[in-house]
Short mmCIF file of all heavy atoms in Angstrom, two decimals:
data_model
loop_
_atom_site.label_atom_id
_atom_site.label_comp_id
_atom_site.label_asym_id
_atom_site.label_seq_id
_atom_site.Cartn_x
_atom_site.Cartn_y
_atom_site.Cartn_z
N LEU N 11 31.66 -75.15 96.17
CA LEU N 11 31.44 -76.04 95.11
C LEU N 11 32.24 -75.60 93.93
O LEU N 11 32.78 -74.49 93.85
CB LEU N 11 29.98 -76.23 94.82
CG LEU N 11 29.35 -75.07 93.94
CD1 LEU N 11 27.82 -75.46 93.74
CD2 LEU N 11 29.37 -73.76 94.69
N THR N 12 32.42 -76.50 92.95
CA THR N 12 33.03 -76.06 91.72
C THR N 12 32.18 -75.21 90.76
O THR N 12 30.94 -75.37 90.86
CB THR N 12 33.71 -77.18 90.92
OG1 THR N 12 32.59 -77.94 90.41
CG2 THR N 12 34.55 -78.15 91.80
N THR N 13 32.74 -74.42 89.90
CA THR N 13 31.82 -73.74 88.95
C THR N 13 31.17 -74.69 88.04
O THR N 13 29.95 -74.47 87.57
CB THR N 13 32.60 -72.60 88.21
OG1 THR N 13 33.81 -73.33 87.70
CG2 THR N 13 33.13 -71.56 89.06
N ASP N 14 31.84 -75.75 87.83
CA ASP N 14 31.24 -76.81 86.95
C ASP N 14 29.96 -77.32 87.56
O ASP N 14 28.98 -77.49 86.84
CB ASP N 14 32.26 -77.99 86.88
CG ASP N 14 32.42 -78.49 85.48
OD1 ASP N 14 32.41 -77.61 84.56
OD2 ASP N 14 32.47 -79.74 85.34
N GLU N 15 29.99 -77.68 88.80
CA GLU N 15 28.84 -78.07 89.52
C GLU N 15 27.66 -77.14 89.55
O GLU N 15 26.55 -77.35 89.34
CB GLU N 15 29.11 -78.53 91.03
CG GLU N 15 29.99 -79.72 91.13
CD GLU N 15 30.55 -79.87 92.62
OE1 GLU N 15 30.90 -78.82 93.22
OE2 GLU N 15 30.34 -81.03 93.09
N ALA N 16 28.10 -75.87 89.75
CA ALA N 16 27.08 -74.71 89.83
C ALA N 16 26.39 -74.55 88.47
O ALA N 16 25.16 -74.45 88.32
CB ALA N 16 27.83 -73.38 90.19
N TRP N 17 27.25 -74.56 87.29
CA TRP N 17 26.61 -74.50 85.98
C TRP N 17 25.69 -75.68 85.69
O TRP N 17 24.70 -75.53 85.00
CB TRP N 17 27.62 -74.33 84.98
CG TRP N 17 28.19 -72.89 84.79
CD1 TRP N 17 29.41 -72.47 84.91
CD2 TRP N 17 27.47 -71.79 84.43
NE1 TRP N 17 29.50 -71.15 84.72
CE2 TRP N 17 28.29 -70.64 84.40
CE3 TRP N 17 26.10 -71.50 84.08
CZ2 TRP N 17 27.90 -69.40 84.10
CZ3 TRP N 17 25.64 -70.21 83.81
CH2 TRP N 17 26.61 -69.13 83.77
N ALA N 18 26.13 -76.92 86.04
CA ALA N 18 25.40 -78.03 85.69
C ALA N 18 24.02 -77.94 86.41
O ALA N 18 23.07 -78.27 85.86
CB ALA N 18 26.13 -79.30 86.06
N TRP N 202 21.47 -66.45 90.66
CA TRP N 202 22.93 -65.96 90.86
C TRP N 202 22.94 -64.51 90.97
O TRP N 202 21.95 -63.76 90.43
CB TRP N 202 23.67 -66.32 89.46
CG TRP N 202 23.93 -67.73 89.17
CD1 TRP N 202 23.04 -68.70 89.15
CD2 TRP N 202 25.23 -68.29 88.82
NE1 TRP N 202 23.61 -69.90 88.74
CE2 TRP N 202 24.99 -69.71 88.57
CE3 TRP N 202 26.47 -67.78 88.74
CZ2 TRP N 202 26.04 -70.63 88.25
CZ3 TRP N 202 27.52 -68.67 88.33
CH2 TRP N 202 27.31 -69.99 88.10
N MET N 230 23.97 -68.60 94.10
CA MET N 230 25.33 -68.45 93.77
C MET N 230 25.79 -66.99 93.80
O MET N 230 25.24 -66.15 93.01
CB MET N 230 25.51 -69.01 92.30
CG MET N 230 26.96 -69.25 92.00
SD MET N 230 27.78 -70.61 92.80
CE MET N 230 29.46 -70.56 92.05
N LEU N 249 32.48 -67.26 94.62
CA LEU N 249 33.41 -67.29 93.51
C LEU N 249 33.83 -65.80 93.15
O LEU N 249 32.89 -64.90 93.32
CB LEU N 249 32.69 -67.83 92.33
CG LEU N 249 33.22 -67.71 90.89
CD1 LEU N 249 34.41 -68.68 90.80
CD2 LEU N 249 32.19 -68.13 89.90
N LEU N 251 35.51 -63.23 90.25
CA LEU N 251 35.93 -62.98 88.85
C LEU N 251 36.76 -61.64 88.84
O LEU N 251 36.56 -60.88 89.68
CB LEU N 251 34.81 -62.94 87.92
CG LEU N 251 33.86 -64.20 87.81
CD1 LEU N 251 32.66 -63.94 87.01
CD2 LEU N 251 34.67 -65.38 87.36
N PHE N 260 32.97 -65.43 81.35
CA PHE N 260 32.45 -66.50 82.25
C PHE N 260 31.08 -66.94 81.95
O PHE N 260 30.77 -68.19 81.81
CB PHE N 260 32.48 -65.98 83.78
CG PHE N 260 31.92 -67.00 84.75
CD1 PHE N 260 32.74 -68.03 85.24
CD2 PHE N 260 30.60 -66.78 85.18
CE1 PHE N 260 32.29 -68.94 86.14
CE2 PHE N 260 30.18 -67.70 86.20
CZ PHE N 260 31.03 -68.78 86.70
N ARG N 267 26.53 -74.72 78.41
CA ARG N 267 25.81 -75.84 79.10
C ARG N 267 24.31 -75.93 78.78
O ARG N 267 23.65 -76.85 79.12
CB ARG N 267 25.95 -75.68 80.68
CG ARG N 267 27.20 -75.57 81.24
CD ARG N 267 28.02 -76.92 81.01
NE ARG N 267 29.15 -76.95 81.86
CZ ARG N 267 29.25 -77.82 82.88
NH1 ARG N 267 28.27 -78.73 83.04
NH2 ARG N 267 30.27 -77.79 83.64
#
Side-chain angles (χ1 to χ4, degrees):
L11 76 179
T12 65
T13 50
D14 222 40
E15 290 170 314
W17 277 120
W202 292 56
M230 188 73 178
L249 168 73
L251 301 174
F260 179 77
R267 303 297 200 108

